[in-house]
Amino acid sequence: MTTEAEFDQWAAQLAAGGFDPGPAVGPVQSAGAGDFRFHRFALLTAHPTAGLHEVHGLIGERYVRTGGPAGYLGYPTTDETGAGAGRFNRFEFQGAALTWHPVFGVHEVRGRIGEVYRDSGGPGGPWGYPITDEYPDGAVNRSSDFEGGTLAWTPAEDVLEIFAPAPGTLTPAAGDWPRVPTDERLRYAVGQLVLRYGFPLNGAAGVVGNLWAESGVIPPRIEGSSEGQPQRAQDFSGVVTDFTPDQVMLRPNPGGPRLPGVGLAQWTSAARRAGVFTHVYQGRPHGAEALRSMDAQLDYLTGELAASYPGVSAVVMNPAVTVEQASDEVVYTFEVPGAILSGGRKLPRTDPAVQAVFTQRRAPSRRARVAFAGP
């Protein structure tokens, strides 16, 4: 086991080199073959083959949320390293790295996609920084979007390289979500809320279970459509139409969707609906492209909860919340479906109609939890 004195010496060397991890804030702990100790500004790790390394800042926060050295990423194999405008750490897990960029934030690459990305130069290579985490792309495929394009893994063709017309033009996590299995959609959305935004697991599951009830967790879904054809619904004259993203966003009459609901939460009111398209994510509003972006819509959702629904946010962000409590609060105060209204006013929580909705929404919320964390 690495001793406290050895960690103290390593911390002093880091400080002398220009990065001060600060004083220790806990004892030396062990996980797997290595040891680690939390300091005020960093996590210091020691591993017999990975060596001595530090992880700090936003990358460090994300790493700790994945479980740190005891999680699936394992021990860091590099210190935090600068590249261009951002920084990164590499880890033991196959091809794994966590990156930070001032515009794109913190993202994870791993597996075969991570290996191809690493071997092509990582953040300093032609792909630049990742602008999404790895996401499901169809029933069995996986993809990650980068400044320079997309790296896509398929069982048949391993990793495909898809170059974008220009850096930065890709829509984050713009996968073919209707073809992604339900549990994978649930897992991805819960994972984003937990790993990127710090939601407790039960709170995230309560939110995502409600998104499933509203949209099937399909970002381009419009009100009145099916999961398989998420942008096909009636226009203002009652004709079933395949709408373009611009028609959905602008909703012209005639020519636009008759019903207003749009996106993961089926945002309906004019102001909230417009916010989906004007919300600034990763440095710019995405306009009609936001319909394809799971990440941009989840970012809008979390900001809306914090700014406009502080009571709901307090419930779902409480570490002690249950899945059922989170699910009930989201549907009763945030979503407010017509089934819990009478004469335009909310029925009390004890009303049988409200209790029936609570029961309906709790089932997908529990399923969302299992999809991410297992039984």
Side-chain angles (χ1 to χ4, degrees):
M1 180 175 181
T2 309
T3 66
E4 289 189 358
E6 289 171 316
F7 272 108
D8 288 341
Q9 183 180 15
W10 170 228
Q13 291 174 358
L14 288 171
F19 171 68
D20 185 0
V25 294
V28 176
Q29 303 178 61
S30 297
D35 306 299
F36 61 96
R37 185 171 73 174
F38 285 96
H39 286 243
R40 183 177 179 184
F41 304 118
L43 174 64
L44 303 189
T45 65
H47 187 274
T49 56
L52 297 169
H53 295 293
E54 58 82 14
V55 190
H56 69 272
L58 294 176
I59 290 176
E61 290 179 11
R62 173 71 175 267
Y63 176 53
V64 170
R65 289 203 297 271
T66 70
Y72 61 88
L73 293 178
Y75 280 83
T77 58
T78 67
D79 292 337
E80 186 173 294
T81 304
R87 307 187 68 80
F88 69 93
N89 283 80
R90 298 198 185 282
F91 297 88
E92 286 184 286
F93 186 74
Q94 179 191 18
L98 291 175
T99 67
W100 172 85
H101 186 277
V103 173
F104 307 127
V106 178
H107 290 293
E108 173 188 314
V109 292
R110 56 190 168 92
R112 280 291 294 134
I113 289 174
E115 289 180 335
V116 170
Y117 177 58
R118 177 198 64 206
D119 294 344
S120 66
W127 297 102
Y129 275 86
I131 63 175
T132 71
D133 292 333
E134 183 180 291
Y135 58 88
D137 192 358
V140 296
N141 304 339
R142 315 289 300 180
S143 293
S144 291
D145 294 338
F146 299 85
E147 291 180 272
T150 297
L151 290 174
W153 176 87
T154 71
E157 299 187 63
D158 200 21
V159 177
L160 306 177
E161 300 182 353
I162 306 167
F163 287 94
T169 61
L170 290 178
T171 302
D176 185 5
W177 292 106
R179 292 181 56 233
V180 173
T182 297
D183 284 345
E184 276 290 278
R185 299 197 301 266
L186 294 171
R187 183 200 63 77
Y188 182 85
V190 171
Q192 291 295 291
L193 295 182
V194 171
L195 297 174
R196 293 188 64 193
Y197 298 99
F199 279 62
L201 175 56
N202 287 342
V207 171
V208 174
N210 274 278
L211 298 183
W212 182 89
E214 294 290 329
S215 67
V217 196
I218 296 175
R221 187 93 180 259
I222 63 174
E223 191 174 358
S225 68
S226 66
E227 286 193 12
Q229 296 176 302
Q231 291 190 304
R232 181 177 176 83
Q234 290 185 0
D235 66 11
F236 280 99
S237 63
V239 177
V240 176
T241 303
D242 291 307
F243 296 103
T244 68
D246 282 337
Q247 287 174 320
V248 172
M249 178 178 69
L250 299 173
R251 201 171 167 240
N253 184 5
R258 180 174 65 86
L259 300 175
V262 66
L264 292 174
Q266 288 296 279
W267 288 280
T268 302
S269 68
R272 296 178 69 194
R273 187 184 192 281
V276 175
F277 304 105
T278 60
H279 175 64
V280 175
Y281 177 66
Q282 295 187 335
R284 66 183 179 95
H286 284 73
E289 292 179 10
L291 286 171
R292 299 177 60 234
S293 176
M294 178 82 81
D295 288 9
Q297 290 191 31
L298 288 174
D299 192 73
Y300 175 60
L301 172 71
T302 58
E304 188 180 41
L305 285 173
S308 302
Y309 298 86
V312 178
S313 183
V315 171
V316 299
M317 295 299 287
N318 184 342
V321 74
T322 66
V323 172
E324 292 77 16
Q325 290 168 340
S327 181
D328 293 354
E329 184 64 22
V330 171
V331 70
Y332 191 74
T333 308
F334 181 76
E335 293 291 357
V336 196
I340 69 171
L341 299 175
S342 178
R345 307 180 75 133
K346 280 196 295 187
L347 296 166
R349 291 176 185 253
T350 54
D351 188 277
V354 176
Q355 289 295 311
V357 171
F358 284 170
T359 298
Q360 292 168 358
R361 299 281 176 125
R362 288 173 181 177
S365 295
R366 295 188 188 106
R367 181 174 177 177
R369 189 190 193 286
V370 171
F372 180 78

